[in-house]
Amino acid sequence: MKSLKLLLLALFCLPVVGCVTTQKEANTVSASTEWRIKSLEESFLNFREQQRQAADEDQEALQRIESRLAAIEGELTALRGGSPSPAKGTVDAPAGETWVGDLKPEDDGWVEGGKSQPLVENDEEKPWAKLPEPPAAPEPPAVIPEPEVIDRAQAPKSAPAPQAAAPAPKPAPASVPASSAATPKALYEQGYARYNAGDYPGARTAFDDFLAKYPNDDLAANALYWKGETYYSEKDYAQAILTFKEVTGKFPKHDKAAAALLKIGMSYDRVGDRDNALFYLRALQQDFPNSSAAGIGRRELSRLGG
């Protein structure tokens, strides 16, 4: 019976306890919401106060600037009108500094603070102070004498004027006797002598003859190179490029290959092909960096900006 009473009492107390708990939770939520609203209101009020202070500071700064501008405009007006400048206290001038408005022009110099400071002349040359000299009077024209009239009937017959002597014929380039031209060296020297004498077609003929007869001789690379030089000297740069490329193709390790690469680059430069000129001049630096031609090639690269 006791147990039944306790059970009924427990069932009766449960709703009461639930109501109390729910009321407490509602009170807690309400208090939290109210605290958050107050915190937001406080933050907003602080923000508005900061805005007001910033606006006041901006207004004060603007007033100071306007006051300074008004003082400067007054000084400028006084300077332009020639009237005395306003009192020095109207503008915040640094201590010990003299403003331009405190200087007054005088006849013998500038006066600053009541003390005259005359202008100082120095010994520097003043070209503007020299007046240009007047131009010299033109010389009178030369007087041409009147021609003398000669009576042709009484004039003696003059002897015929001597004819000018014909110019001496230009000596032909030294040539090697036919008997000695049969050797490879003699034939090569014959072509080289004609090149030095300016006979470029004759030099090419001799070099072609040499290359046809002695294609494997030690001087074959030299003969082919100088054949290219005959074209280069005649400014036939297209044929010069082809001949110099033949040197580098047939004799890639020969000393003349370095000179041929240099002349290929220079020939391309003469015809306006800068890209190919730079390509072959750089190839010269890579393949023959210690050759004399490479030194000239470096100067050409520098001139071309490569």
Side-chain angles (χ1 to χ4, degrees), residues 70-94:
I72 294 174
E73 287 176 357
E75 287 188 355
L76 289 176
T77 304
L79 289 174
R80 290 173 182 172
S83 60
S85 62
K88 193 172 182 180
T90 57
V91 181
D92 298 333

Side-chain angles (χ1 to χ4, degrees), residues 176-177 180-191:
V176 182
S180 61
T183 62
K185 185 176 180 180
L187 187 56
Y188 170 81
E189 290 179 349
Q190 180 181 357

Side-chain angles (χ1 to χ4, degrees), residues 2-76:
K2 260 185 185 182
S3 299
L4 181 59
K5 288 180 179 181
L6 290 175
L7 180 60
L8 291 173
L9 182 61
L11 290 174
F12 177 77
C13 292
L14 280 175
V16 177
V17 172
C19 291
V20 173
T21 304
T22 304
Q23 184 65 29
K24 288 183 178 180
E25 289 178 356
N27 293 336
T28 302
V29 172
S30 177
S32 176
T33 303
E34 185 178 357
W35 176 82
R36 291 170 65 185
I37 291 173
K38 288 183 178 180
S39 178
L40 289 173
E41 289 178 349
E42 185 178 358
S43 299
F44 178 74
L45 292 174
N46 290 336
F47 174 73
R48 292 298 298 271
E49 180 64 17
Q50 291 175 0
Q51 279 188 328
R52 187 189 63 78
Q53 292 178 358
D56 293 342
E57 292 175 357
D58 292 341
Q59 185 65 25
E60 291 176 359
L62 182 60
Q63 290 177 356
R64 288 196 299 270
I65 293 173
E66 288 177 352
S67 175
R68 184 67 179 273
L69 287 175
I72 294 174
E73 287 176 357
E75 287 188 355
L76 289 176

